[in-house]
Amino acid sequence: MGRPKKLHRKEHYYREAKRRGYRARSAFKLMQIAKTHHLLRGVSTVVELCSSPGGWTQVIRQLSNTARIIAVDLAPMEPLEGVIFIQGDITDPDTVEKIVAAAGSRVDLVLSDCSPKVTGYWEVDVARQLALAETTIEIGHRLLGRNGKVLAKVFQGPGFQEFLRTARGRFHTVRLLKPDASRRTSAEVYLLGIGPVP
């Protein structure tokens, strides 16, 4: 009897990440989104929230060797060439001020693959994840230029529709994306917001 498809898919991306030297299998999610939705087109400055261990950061650098990258996480992250790393809590105003200072001006893209520490209680985990996604939207709205983009991981669960309505009020265009590297049975989707509403 074969292994379940979702386990096989997870192992496939895990093995591929190891083979290609990516720090996390989630690198393939960003790679697929970036390719399909031209995420890095016209992007010169990127702020990546919850960046550790750096799998997404590696993909950004690989796809754009000229982009200025500011990575932020509460946990330490092994250095990557040409990446500015800020260690801090993204919900802390002091950390946000450090991001603003490092950026120096408007940025083109804010990314977030943030996940809370899982408690095992679905409603609690969803609420914590949505809070991180809301923080991402707030930071993105503050930092982004007129045509800037924000990409944030979101769990579909209690409070998701309210979050979506808020996001649609903050950006001219909002799309929900599900890359192939995400498990089809997972509640995880990615919200892409384009063009902050003044």
Side-chain angles (χ1 to χ4, degrees):
M1 187 173 177
R3 294 186 180 188
K5 285 185 178 179
K6 64 179 181 181
L7 180 60
H8 177 75
R9 284 167 58 85
K10 183 175 180 180
E11 288 182 348
H12 166 72
Y13 285 112
Y14 176 80
R15 287 195 304 269
E16 277 297 293
K18 288 290 186 184
R19 186 178 72 82
R20 298 193 194 185
Y22 293 125
R23 297 178 182 179
R25 60 181 293 275
S26 61
F28 294 101
K29 298 175 188 178
L30 180 60
M31 204 179 301
Q32 290 165 359
I33 290 172
K35 181 178 179 181
T36 305
H37 298 277
H38 309 292
L39 194 64
L40 292 171
R41 180 181 291 171
V43 169
S44 59
T45 304
V46 181
V47 171
E48 184 194 353
L49 307 176
C50 305
S51 59
S52 188
W56 275 30
T57 323
Q58 289 176 299
V59 171
I60 300 164
R61 176 52 71 228
Q62 176 184 318
L63 296 179
S64 176
N65 58 13
T66 59
R68 186 162 168 261
I69 304 169
I70 302 165
V72 188
D73 203 296
L74 185 59
M77 187 177 91
E78 189 177 333
L80 282 166
E81 186 176 352
V83 175
I84 299 167
F85 178 67
I86 298 170
Q87 188 168 353
D89 183 345
I90 65 168
T91 65
D92 184 339
D94 288 343
T95 300
V96 177
E97 291 307 318
K98 288 178 183 177
I99 298 169
V100 171
S105 60
R106 294 293 181 183
V107 305
D108 306 301
L109 176 63
V110 173
L111 298 172
S112 164
D113 196 32
C114 295
S115 290
K117 288 185 178 179
V118 177
T119 65
Y121 295 96
W122 174 241
E123 291 191 2
V124 172
D125 293 337
V126 169
R128 289 181 176 179
Q129 204 287 323
L130 283 174
L132 290 171
E134 287 166 1
T135 298
T136 299
I137 294 294
E138 290 297 325
I139 292 173
H141 200 268
R142 177 173 177 181
L143 291 176
L144 292 170
R146 186 176 62 180
N147 297 314
K149 296 173 276 190
V150 62
L151 179 73
K153 179 163 70 180
V154 190
F155 289 168
Q156 296 177 88
F160 172 74
Q161 291 302 326
E162 291 85 349
F163 167 79
L164 192 55
R165 279 195 293 272
T166 299
R168 285 175 171 155
R170 305 301 298 273
F171 291 89
H172 290 293
T173 302
V174 171
R175 300 173 186 161
L176 295 177
L177 315 176
K178 185 87 167 178
D180 288 342
S182 289
R183 295 194 302 275
R184 291 176 186 174
T185 56
S186 169
E188 165 191 286
V189 293
Y190 289 87
L191 180 142
L192 175 63
I194 304 172
V197 175

